[in-house]
Amino acid sequence: MILRCGNRNLNLKYPQVMGILNVTPDSFSDGGRFSDLGQALYHAEQMFTQGAAIIDIGGESTRPGAKTISVEQELDRVIPVVEAIARRLDVLISVDTSSAQVIISASKAGAHIINDVRSLTREGALAAAASIELPICLMHMNGEPQSMQDNPQYLLPIEQDVLQQLTASVARCEQAGIERQRLIIDPGFGFGKNDQHNYQLLNRLEALQSLKLPLLTGLSRKRMIGSATGQSGAANRVIGSVSAAVICVLKGARIIRTHDVKETVEAMQVVSATFREGND
Ligand code: 7PJ
């Protein structure tokens, strides 16, 4: 129920909102507007004021077809932002990275959570994660970002594939010395999944509760939202995204990753008010 994040605690009895801070020049939904340090800090402060418990900083775009960047470029983009936020805001800092060097440097710079869409499969990432003491988010992905949306296929029902892959990732982490209580799981909406896969997964999301680990979901402004609402522009997908976030939380998710913090926090306040009157 309480996740230890470095020197801080995160209460997962109630849903918590993770605001997305992209420091990439090509992230699809905010188009690199926050690539400069001042802008990044301003956006982080705004999300904090709106009620984000966590700010998720990403320097490498994982959108389909995005260019890979060097570790040096990623460090240059991400670490100054981590340091600046750690100094100024009383918020948890998550770093969206797959690189061993960034994991280590982010931890030293004041990060509280590591969010790796590749689940520590890049060279050195597993050992890097074992050498620090922060929670790690492991995500399901089918394929690699470059090609994952080229006709994704599953042999098993999708939630079973997701559960199997996450179970294997968790076991691999435990074998490497990463304590189970440091792990967070994420089904990876949109990562090697077509619209039908994504909605089947959302419908059966409670299947992931069998791992008994904190569940994070990110559907914010994704294509699956547009495909249900007909909204092609990312900024017009807020209501659809918030609706999906509410479904996730009712099916067990406790961390919601979003671009739209104010709207998502309000929805989560209604969910929390409801949970508070429960018996558990
Ligand atoms: C996710 C993420 C997600 C986690 C991105 C986007 C694409 N990390 N990073 N879960 N998505 N843990 O925001 O549309 O779903 S990047």
Side-chain angles (χ1 to χ4, degrees):
M1 213 72 88
I2 301 286
L3 181 68
R4 190 80 192 143
C5 301
N7 55 359
R8 297 273 309 262
N9 285 331
L10 184 64
N11 182 0
L12 296 181
K13 187 161 183 213
Y14 298 101
Q16 302 289 350
V17 171
M18 169 186 266
I20 301 171
L21 184 61
N22 282 315
V23 290
T24 63
D26 65 347
S27 53
F28 87 102
S29 111
D30 51 31
R33 281 185 295 133
F34 300 106
S35 49
D36 139 274
L37 184 62
Q39 292 275 309
L41 261 180
Y42 177 80
H43 188 206
E45 197 158 5
Q46 198 176 32
M47 292 194 289
F48 174 63
T49 306
Q50 292 172 342
I54 310 164
I55 306 284
D56 187 41
I57 307 167
E60 188 199 19
S61 175
T62 45
R63 66 186 273 203
K67 287 196 272 304
T68 52
I69 58 165
S70 71
V71 173
E72 289 70 30
Q73 275 177 313
E74 194 185 346
L75 288 167
D76 284 351
R77 284 181 192 171
V78 169
I79 301 304
V81 180
V82 175
E83 287 171 345
I85 295 176
R87 230 178 292 121
R88 280 166 221 225
L89 301 178
D90 186 26
V91 71
L92 295 182
I93 300 169
S94 159
V95 174
D96 194 339
T97 187
S98 299
S99 140
Q101 290 95 317
V102 178
I103 291 171
I104 302 286
S105 299
S107 155
K108 289 184 184 148
H112 303 92
I113 298 174
I114 301 296
N115 171 27
D116 182 6
V117 300
R118 295 182 183 78
S119 300
L120 308 174
T121 55
R122 277 221 186 127
E123 196 181 338
L126 188 65
S131 76
I132 62 168
E133 295 188 341
L134 304 179
I136 313 283
C137 181
L138 304 172
M139 199 193 75
H140 177 273
M141 173 156 50
N142 183 5
E144 263 286 314
Q146 303 285 348
S147 56
M148 65 188 178
Q149 290 309 109
D150 305 342
N151 192 24
Q153 307 264 354
Y154 288 86
L155 297 172
L156 291 171
I158 180 129
E159 76 284 4
Q160 295 305 325
D161 189 294
V162 170
L163 191 57
Q164 273 193 5
Q165 193 190 108
L166 288 173
T167 302
S169 297
V170 167
R172 180 172 168 267
C173 284
E174 289 191 275
Q175 277 154 23
I178 302 172
E179 306 81 353
R180 196 179 173 91
Q181 61 268 27
R182 272 212 276 147
L183 299 175
I184 301 168
I185 53 167
D186 180 340
F189 286 106
F191 284 83
K193 300 167 183 85
N194 64 27
D195 293 334
Q196 190 183 16
H197 294 141
N198 284 315
Y199 279 102
Q200 281 174 349
L201 188 53
L202 181 56
N203 184 271
R204 304 171 192 162
L205 192 65
E206 62 273 14
L208 302 189
Q209 288 192 37
S210 65
L211 276 172
K212 302 201 182 322
L213 287 171
L215 180 59
L216 183 156
T217 58
L219 301 101
S220 182
R221 301 184 179 185
K222 284 184 178 172
R223 193 191 60 189
M224 66 181 285
I225 303 299
S227 84
T229 62
Q231 296 291 354
S232 52
N236 295 324
R237 296 176 181 168
V238 181
I239 295 172
S241 302
V242 171
S243 307
V246 171
I247 297 173
C248 288
V249 173
L250 294 180
K251 288 175 176 285
R254 287 294 177 274
I255 304 174
I256 300 295
R257 184 178 179 276
T258 182
H259 299 89
D260 303 294
V261 170
K262 179 178 181 290
E263 294 83 352
T264 308
V265 165
E266 264 188 41
M268 293 307 127
Q269 284 168 334
V270 174
V271 173
S272 293
T274 311
F275 283 1
R276 232 173 269 127
E277 297 306 326
N279 300 320
D280 40 9

